[in-house]
Amino acid sequence: MPEIIKDYTKKIGIPRMIITATFLSLFITAFFVDLPVTMLMSNIIRRFGMFGVLVLAMVPSIRCGIGPNFALPLGIVSGILGGLISIEFGLNSFFASLLIAIPIAVVVGFFYGKLLNKIKGSEMLVATYTGFSAVSFMSIMWIVLPFTHKEMVWPIGKGLRVTVSLNSTFGNVLNNFLGFNIGEVYIPTGLLLFFFGMCFLVWLFSQSKSGVAMKATGDNPKFATASGINVDNYRILGTVLSTVLGAIGILVYAQSYTFIQLYNAPLMMAFPAVAAILIGGASATKAKISHAIIGVFLFQGLLTIALPVASKLVPQGNISESLRMIVQNGIILYALTKVGGE
Amino acid sequence: MEIKDQEKEVIITQEEKFDPQNFLVKHSVTLLFIIISIAAVYISKLPIFFVVNSIITRVTRNSFLVLALLIPVMSGMGLNFSITIGAMAGQFAIIIVTYLGISGIWGFILCALIALPLAIIFGFFVGALLNKTKGQEMITGLISGFFANGIYQLILIFMVGTIIPMKMNDMMMSSGVGIRNTVDMKKAGLSYALDSIHEIPLFTLVLVVSLFFIALNIYKLKSAKHESAFKTKKRYFNIVLNILVFIFGMLISYTKMLPRNIQMLENITIPTVTSLLIIALCFFNVLITKTKLGQDFRTVGQNKHIAEIAGIHVNKVRMYAIIISTVLASWGQLFFLQNMGVLNTYGSHVQIALFSIAALLIGGASASKATISQALLGVVLFHTLFLVSPMAGKNLFGDPMIGEFFRAFIAYGVIGVSLGLHAWRKTIKGQV
């Protein structure tokens, strides 16, 4: 019997068990402290769809061997740029934003992939600072770029606003598409369909010839080279895919949030996404789509519930913020210790 | 292969010559930043007195933290992003001492004494973690800083006043649980505890330092006969430079010949004790390389496997390096905060690692080699840029925000580029 338990703990992983247990116990506590559980469930589902694609962006990057994509902000700023351009030209549609954002992300991802091929072994650290620099560089650009749409720029002075409202454009388009209520729980059908659609596309890709070759690249670069796979090209392909998914992800996030956040907002966005997929059971070298789905549900679920429950139990301050930092960075540290080093 | 490389290096040092092209390539980062800094100072149109005075304040405030980074670099652990954790130890100490109500220099010394064991414990944990993640030390250090910040907040927001008993006082939030966002160190008598002990005019120090370097170089010329011609030339050049600095210092301090805006620099003072402690830390960093432990740091830094075979406990040595760095960082944070005068409870430590590391790299250091002079030069350059870039941005583009984002971009960018180059060299070496 203990053997079976051991097998299971090994399979699921201790951190994931702790987080699942915390999630469940918080959920049960929510019942007892008379929180509106239906509203919480709506929130969890909404945030699940909102962050889903951003977490999914980690799958190709881990698969192709560059590790969790800490440079997600590169994809994010590409996506934001796409969204802003589509609003500027009055296209105002979610899919137009995607069409503009994706080519930008492909180009950015391609050059970033080239860079990563030069620094094998230190991807995570360099990625983090590439992401940070990209965000601060684009902050300058948000001031300098010649946008004129009156909902985006400051009425007086230069540059774009800190948050651009999407209420008059494509805010909530996915969330409201075929949305319905089960009791008091709102199901944003379009959002979920879109997320699962993206998962399906990534799965489809992973079944293709390139997908299989890319996975081989990540699993064992030397073996891949020996079987005639061009490792560097597949690493670039994985990076491009990850960046594109990041761009799509931020647009999904923005339409659900109904704001595009500029300047320093994307700075730290890679970390929750990395943490989510790790919580889902991925490691720095192995990831499945199911890891992304489970991880984003657990992590965002935990964060959604923790805030109201904690503020009921401990009325002072924002305990869920500290909790988020500990869980998020703790799981990344745990994954780093498993990388094994030299 | 290792030995071959070393041999090559020996040959190169023997044939060393002043090669302008080589010099430019080797110091490209630093030279670029010197040019940017001078241009930014010029564009900002800020009065020179203000610029020099502010830079002196910032340099004395930040040097200790930057110097705390050197030992882990020597031990091959890269840039220690976890000095944030050392800074937290310093801040805990300040909160405790403020609570006890001990002020002035004794309060400050007590802060340092309380910070010491805390920093050793924190350093121990970080060291243990880094020993498990060899080859990924820097990203682990960065993330562990974020992680520790979560725990730090948990302790200071929720545990103080509930689990940790604390009598109600002005530091705490009105509910009696948690520390306020800012802790006023002026009221506690800790601000300028160290800086205000004694101050000397800047140029008196300049005179002393230039005399010291003239003497040192002359002594080295006399004592070391068989140095290469290049080194001898370098020493002569050094002496001439220092004599020029000395003359300039004399002109400012004792005559009234110079233009008025430069003459005003005479009035700038620097905190004596703080500067002496920074100099002491420089000496400590030099002297430790002469000890057994320092040699172990070097050996481990060069090659862990060879060190292991030579009978060095690699993990232990790495642990010592991180503990020393953490302790120095906690003291560095005390220096920093006593000069700021206000402890921003949840913010003061957050950017410490970013700014210190960016400064070190701007000085020309890399993740595998960093010297004291690079650290000090880097602090001066980085803080010049930091000080003047909002004004420069305003004058150049009509928007101070551009300058502010520009300096953030510089800080992140220089770290990114430098680490990228470091990793690139490592891959090239691995392929050969």
Side-chain angles (χ1 to χ4, degrees):
Chain A
M1 185 68 184
E3 279 296 307
I4 299 171
I5 296 173
K6 230 182 208 171
D7 269 9
Y8 264 98
T9 42
K10 212 175 170 191
K11 207 170 163 191
I12 301 174
I14 293 167
R16 198 160 29 144
M17 280 169 65
I18 296 173
I19 287 163
T20 316
T22 322
F23 176 62
L24 289 178
S25 55
L26 279 174
F27 207 87
I28 294 164
T29 325
F31 271 105
F32 283 109
V33 291
D34 281 340
L35 283 167
V37 178
T38 47
M39 201 191 78
L40 281 178
M41 291 204 9
S42 306
N43 269 338
I44 293 173
I45 294 171
R46 191 174 60 83
R47 287 179 59 150
F48 168 71
M50 195 167 154
F51 282 91
V53 184
L54 285 173
V55 179
L56 190 65
M58 295 298 153
V59 174
S61 83
I62 294 178
R63 281 234 175 119
C64 77
I66 65 167
N69 187 6
F70 282 98
L72 195 63
L74 283 178
I76 292 178
V77 289
S78 311
I80 292 176
L81 197 60
L84 292 179
I85 292 174
S86 91
I87 297 173
E88 174 73 22
F89 290 118
L91 299 171
N92 288 352
S93 100
F94 179 70
F95 287 97
S97 308
L98 285 187
L99 284 181
I100 300 168
I102 290 172
I104 302 174
V106 169
V107 175
V108 171
F110 175 76
F111 284 106
Y112 175 58
K114 287 226 153 209
L115 167 76
L116 282 185
N117 279 339
K118 299 225 183 295
I119 51 147
K120 284 175 193 163
S122 314
E123 287 96 347
M124 286 188 270
L125 184 66
V126 177
T128 309
Y129 277 90
T130 313
F132 286 168
S133 330
V135 171
S136 47
F137 176 73
M138 287 315 286
S139 298
I140 302 177
M141 288 298 123
W142 303 140
I143 299 179
V144 177
L145 287 176
F147 283 107
T148 51
H149 196 280
K150 66 176 191 313
E151 273 189 33
M152 298 197 293
V153 294
W154 292 112
I156 314 161
K158 271 174 124 178
L160 293 163
R161 298 172 192 227
V162 179
T163 51
V164 174
S165 168
L166 297 179
N167 279 329
S168 63
T169 50
F170 57 85
N172 273 328
V173 281
L174 291 182
N175 290 39
N176 294 343
F177 179 74
L178 295 180
F180 60 91
N181 281 316
I182 302 177
E184 282 173 42
V185 182
Y186 182 72
I187 307 290
T189 319
L191 185 68
L192 295 180
L193 274 181
F194 189 84
F195 173 48
F196 287 122
M198 293 311 294
C199 289
F200 179 69
L201 284 181
V202 173
W203 178 79
L204 216 56
F205 171 77
S206 71
Q207 301 302 312
S208 73
K209 192 166 164 268
S210 324
V212 173
M214 197 172 89
K215 189 157 184 302
T217 312
D219 284 344
N220 191 338
K222 281 187 186 140
F223 178 72
T225 318
S227 9
I229 296 171
N230 187 334
V231 171
D232 283 5
N233 281 353
Y234 280 102
R235 281 167 58 102
I236 293 179
L237 180 64
T239 316
V240 169
L241 277 179
S242 178
T243 312
V244 168
L245 283 173
I248 299 172
I250 192 66
L251 286 170
V252 174
Y253 174 91
Q255 66 81 27
S256 181
Y257 190 66
T258 66
F259 287 105
I260 292 182
Q261 297 164 288
L262 299 176
Y263 300 101
N264 276 335
L267 195 66
M268 292 297 181
M269 271 188 184
F271 298 101
V274 173
I277 194 159
L278 295 175
I279 288 171
S283 73
T285 48
K286 280 206 165 52
K288 290 192 215 155
I289 295 165
S290 63
H291 292 155
I293 298 173
I294 297 170
V296 72
F297 181 74
L298 278 179
F299 188 48
Q300 291 303 331
L302 183 68
L303 296 184
T304 318
I305 297 193
L307 178 62
V309 171
S311 55
K312 273 262 170 162
L313 297 178
V314 199
Q316 299 85 13
N318 188 356
I319 196 168
S320 73
E321 175 61 15
S322 321
L323 185 75
R324 183 186 65 78
M325 276 155 93
I326 294 172
V327 171
Q328 173 187 314
N329 298 302
I331 190 83
I332 298 177
L333 284 179
Y334 177 79
L336 280 169
T337 60
K338 298 286 159 192
V339 175
E342 297 165 3
Chain B
M1 205 204 73
E2 201 63 36
I3 299 165
K4 250 188 197 163
D5 276 355
Q6 279 174 5
E7 272 175 5
K8 234 187 237 162
E9 264 179 36
V10 172
I11 296 166
I12 291 168
T13 42
Q14 276 168 358
E15 289 172 355
E16 219 171 1
K17 250 188 178 171
F18 184 75
D19 177 1
Q21 203 181 339
N22 192 8
F23 180 80
L24 281 180
V25 172
K26 220 170 139 189
H27 301 280
S28 50
V29 177
T30 316
L31 288 172
L32 179 70
F33 277 100
I34 290 177
I35 294 167
I36 295 180
S37 298
I38 292 173
V41 170
Y42 180 74
I43 294 166
S44 72
K45 299 201 184 99
L46 290 166
I48 188 101
F49 175 79
F50 169 77
V51 172
V52 175
N53 199 12
S54 312
I55 291 171
I56 292 290
T57 317
R58 281 156 184 261
V59 168
T60 49
R61 194 193 283 167
N62 290 290
S63 297
F64 209 92
L65 278 166
V66 180
L67 289 166
L69 293 168
L70 296 184
I71 287 178
V73 173
M74 197 181 3
S75 323
M77 305 172 81
L79 302 156
N80 183 10
F81 281 90
S82 59
I83 57 168
T84 323
I85 299 177
M88 288 173 202
Q91 290 174 191
F92 277 129
I94 287 177
I95 289 169
I96 294 170
V97 171
T98 312
Y99 179 67
L100 296 175
I102 298 165
S103 62
I105 182 65
W106 293 111
F108 187 81
I109 292 172
L110 187 64
C111 280
L113 288 179
I114 294 174
L116 179 69
L118 286 177
I120 290 176
I121 295 168
F122 295 172
F124 177 80
F125 284 125
V126 176
L129 190 61
L130 294 190
N131 277 338
K132 281 200 161 180
T133 56
K134 282 184 193 133
Q136 303 285 349
E137 287 95 348
M138 289 190 259
I139 181 88
T140 310
L142 180 70
I143 304 285
S144 62
F146 295 155
F147 178 72
N149 197 17
I151 297 178
Y152 175 88
Q153 287 190 0
L154 203 63
I155 292 174
L156 290 185
I157 298 180
F158 301 102
M159 295 196 180
V160 167
T162 50
I163 300 170
I164 304 167
M166 200 166 182
K167 259 193 299 198
M168 187 61 196
N169 58 30
D170 334 334
M171 274 196 305
M172 292 169 78
M173 283 187 250
S174 51
S175 58
V177 177
I179 304 287
R180 278 177 199 276
N181 275 335
T182 52
V183 172
D184 191 356
M185 293 169 69
K186 274 199 193 87
K187 230 190 247 167
L190 284 173
S191 68
Y192 296 112
L194 208 57
D195 287 355
S196 61
I197 298 173
H198 185 257
E199 292 191 348
I200 55 167
L202 169 67
F203 279 91
T204 316
L205 185 83
V206 169
L207 292 180
V208 175
V209 170
S210 58
L211 270 182
F212 169 77
F213 274 109
I214 293 170
L216 181 79
N217 276 308
I218 291 176
Y219 170 75
K220 284 263 167 99
L221 272 179
K222 294 265 186 230
S223 63
K225 287 284 178 226
H226 22 254
E227 268 182 340
S228 63
F230 172 72
K231 269 217 164 148
T232 321
K233 259 188 209 157
K234 211 170 153 187
R235 296 217 181 278
Y236 278 120
F237 177 72
N238 232 320
I239 293 175
V240 172
L241 201 71
N242 275 301
I243 289 175
L244 285 179
V245 171
F246 184 76
I247 293 172
F248 181 69
M250 290 295 268
L251 283 178
I252 281 199
S253 307
Y254 298 108
T255 68
K256 299 235 176 286
M257 284 155 64
L258 296 169
R260 207 166 156 267
N261 56 351
I262 297 182
Q263 193 61 51
M264 266 171 71
L265 297 180
E266 188 189 353
N267 301 326
I268 295 175
T269 58
I270 65 166
T272 322
V273 181
T274 317
S275 319
L276 281 178
L277 285 171
I278 291 169
I279 293 171
L281 179 58
C282 293
F283 274 106
F284 171 78
N285 274 330
V286 174
L287 290 178
I288 201 164
T289 58
K290 316 276 186 218
T291 62
K292 168 81 175 60
L293 185 63
Q295 289 303 324
D296 288 353
F297 287 153
R298 281 232 168 127
T299 323
V300 172
Q302 255 152 23
N303 194 322
K304 284 195 273 291
H305 302 292
I306 291 178
E308 192 83 62
I309 292 162
I312 297 171
H313 293 286
V314 173
N315 282 352
K316 218 172 175 184
V317 170
R318 286 161 55 97
M319 183 77 90
Y320 286 140
I322 282 297
I323 289 178
I324 293 176
S325 177
T326 312
V327 169
L328 292 176
S330 73
W331 290 344
Q333 185 73 352
L334 294 178
F335 279 45
F336 177 83
L337 289 172
Q338 60 93 26
N339 184 281
M340 295 290 281
V342 171
L343 166 62
N344 185 349
T345 319
Y346 305 107
S348 284
H349 55 286
V350 176
Q351 302 276 49
I352 286 299
L354 169 69
F355 291 162
S356 306
I357 288 170
L360 184 64
L361 294 174
I362 285 176
S366 75
S368 53
K369 193 170 188 314
T371 63
I372 294 166
S373 47
Q374 283 166 343
L376 295 178
L377 177 64
V379 178
V380 174
L381 287 178
F382 182 73
H383 285 281
T384 311
L385 211 57
F386 225 75
L387 180 72
V388 299
S389 59
M391 270 316 272
K394 193 177 174 211
N395 289 345
L396 211 57
F397 303 104
D399 196 332
M401 283 309 282
I402 290 187
E404 273 181 41
F405 286 125
F406 178 70
R407 64 188 193 185
F409 174 58
I410 289 285
Y412 290 130
V414 76
I415 296 180
V417 169
S418 164
L419 295 177
L421 283 176
H422 176 68
W424 188 30
R425 280 188 205 121
K426 227 165 55 182
T427 26
I428 290 173
K429 236 184 177 176
Q431 278 164 4
V432 169

